[in-house]
Amino acid sequence: MGTVLQDIRYGVRQLIKMPGFTLTAILSLALGIGATTAVFSVVYAILLDPYPYKDPDRMIHMRLVTPTGDLNGFGVTGSQWQLLRKSPVVEDTFLEDDWNLTVTGSDLPEDVQGVYFSSNGFNFFGVPAALGRGLQPSDAIDGQDPELVVVLSYKFWQRHFNSDPSVIGKTMQLVRKNYTIVGVAASRFTWGDGDVYLPLKITGDQVRAYYAGVRLKPGVSHAQADGALGPLIEQFAKETPKHFPPDHRKFHVVGLNEDFIKQLGGTLYLLFGAVALLLMIGCGNVSILQLARATARQHEFAVRSAIGATQARIIRQLLTEALLLSLTGAALGLLLAYKILGVIVANLPEFSFPHEAAIHINLPVLIFSIAVAVGTGILFGLWPAWQLSRPEVSQIMQSNTRKTTGDVRGRRTHNVLIGGQIALTLLMLAGAGAAIEGFLHVAHTNLGYDPHNIMSVGIPIHDGTYKTWPERAAYFEQLHDKVAEVPGVMIAAISSNATPPANGFTTKFEIVGKPAAEDQSFRFNLVSQEYFP
């Protein structure tokens, strides 16, 4: 232990004596380790540990494959759900319905996203509440109206109640009904992006259909689930065809995170590869700097060898210095990673990753950073240490040949390292060029209109309000006129479904006088006369 401390003290003195070398090496490593740590934080949160739920690897979405290869969801009725629960491959399943609600009873109404769960919903997810409790089976007994209780999402609790811990037991009004607040969900419980979670009343009504979430039994593969649930879902489609896509071909289950992996997984792995190359270039920089120090230190190590220092002792001293550099670079890299991580998260598309993902520097990321630091220390320090640990004592002790000997020994290694750096840099430049080209192509895509200074705002109409078309028309006309009067608004229009390219509703069509053909469909939008101007 004493010799290790001696190596550390001596190494620190050596690094302080050469501040230019030390700062350059540390900054090279800090940039590489910081970028690698930040991107790994995103990869870990989104791809490796995205959900806080119980056994998320066995949770699935049920989908139907269309002739074009798209995967569409569908709804099941309450009675169909009871049959689904009895399937031999299903461990548990819950029902969900979403609806926009309004917080009333205060000066300013607030639109909130309401998520309704069957009585077993919170037990299915297995995530303890941050405060109070979640919904429980007694809140929604079959055949009875649910209890008027509500669980707040963590963010809604922070935003609307200023994180007040005494909120449990208080009353809040939703669409003029009073609900008792029984809990605040955990910070990572964001299923359905709900603001409030309420118990769902399930009946035998064949008109109402709900999303069904499923957890498979242990050991059941997705292929086995396809085979076991496919006939049952086909039976449901015949019973209630309006709840199913009319042109589906087969049933297919997908993992909880499968959609996000397809959307973002390739990009994240590519980005992680890019910053790994950056780290390798930084290691190459430090290796070259270490070898450059060889000329100045060959006499020192020749003397140490002459008075009895073994090759292993010299290698340990040099590796200690390399590890001091890498650990210092890692510490600065972690500080840099916090900044880089904030930039990455701010620029991730909103719905491209699960909102349950906790993207931050956590324990696995810290362990990764330490492993990278130690690994890079050994990687860039081992070869220079090996070179310097075998001094030619008789030649180096002659002052007129000392530097020449060092140059001859290090020249080939220098060339290899520089060649490797150039190759890695060219690879990164090629990748960056391709990425920039793709970005410019997307950024300059012609939408058919100028999107600048255009804002789309969704206005929900709650269940049971404005039941006739004249009432709805009067409501929207009044809304339109009020918005048009707002200072800074040049023109306002009404649309049933926002702006292109993600607007409208898909419907099938037939041409009069011609036989109906499969897959003839189009998207349409209902707009007011000001929409195109």
Side-chain angles (χ1 to χ4, degrees), residues 318-335:
L318 291 169
L319 282 179
T320 299
E321 294 177 19
L323 286 172
L324 284 172
L325 284 175
S326 62
L327 290 173
T328 306
L332 292 177
L334 279 174
L335 296 177

Side-chain angles (χ1 to χ4, degrees), residues 448-478:
Y449 68 100
D450 183 3
H452 297 93
N453 297 327
I454 293 178
M455 181 171 66
S456 173
V457 180
I459 306 294
I461 299 296
H462 299 301
D463 198 15
T465 57
Y466 307 111
K467 296 181 180 179
T468 67
W469 282 111
E471 288 177 333
R472 294 190 181 191
Y475 170 76
F476 279 110
E477 286 173 3
Q478 183 183 16

Side-chain angles (χ1 to χ4, degrees), residues 28 36 48 52 75 112 130 168 187 197 207 226-227 308 315 325 345 354 396 414 473:
S28 294
T36 306
L48 302 180
V112 295
I168 305 301
S187 58
Y197 297 92
V207 176
D226 287 344
I315 289 176
L325 284 175
V345 173
I396 294 174
H414 272 84

